[in-house]
Amino acid sequence: MIGNLKPLEILLIVVVILLLFGAKKLPDMARSLGKSARILKSEAKAMKKDGSQEGQAETAAAPDAQTPQSTTARTIQAAPGDVSSSRPVNEQNRTPQS
């Protein structure tokens, strides 16, 4: 369907997008979309890596042995060096101690 678009139709779509969002917001939207895609890619890679390590640990361990779970929290970073937007993945409920 997308391959059937003619140049005039593509130009019309671009003009409508520019009118809806404005030329100033488009670079910000593209930047945030790129950051989101980067985060998604890194998390998918981490999940695949964790899954393969977990599978190897299960086959190497005895069936009745319990493996301790990791208590360190992983963090997601939007961009290298961007500390302000990083956050822990597994947030635990912390109650203030009196």
Side-chain angles (χ1 to χ4, degrees), residues 4-94:
N4 296 336
L5 292 177
K6 298 175 184 150
L8 184 61
E9 293 170 343
I10 294 173
L11 182 65
L12 182 64
I13 291 171
V14 169
V15 168
V16 168
I17 290 173
L18 279 172
L19 288 174
L20 286 175
F21 296 109
K24 291 183 180 182
K25 289 187 180 182
L26 286 178
D28 293 334
M29 290 172 56
R31 192 174 302 117
S32 65
L33 183 66
K35 284 182 180 180
S36 299
R38 208 172 316 138
I39 291 170
L40 180 66
K41 184 178 178 182
S42 67
E43 284 300 308
K45 193 180 294 185
M47 287 176 64
K48 189 180 289 186
K49 182 179 173 184
D50 288 346
S52 66
Q53 287 177 352
E54 209 172 87
Q56 291 173 357
E58 288 175 0
T59 57
D64 58 338
Q66 295 288 334
T67 57
Q69 297 291 330
S70 175
T71 58
T72 58
R74 295 186 339 214
T75 58
I76 299 174
Q77 280 191 325
D82 187 14
V83 181
S84 63
S85 63
S86 63
R87 62 175 176 79
V89 175
N90 296 327
E91 295 182 18
Q92 299 176 354
N93 293 335
R94 296 183 182 163

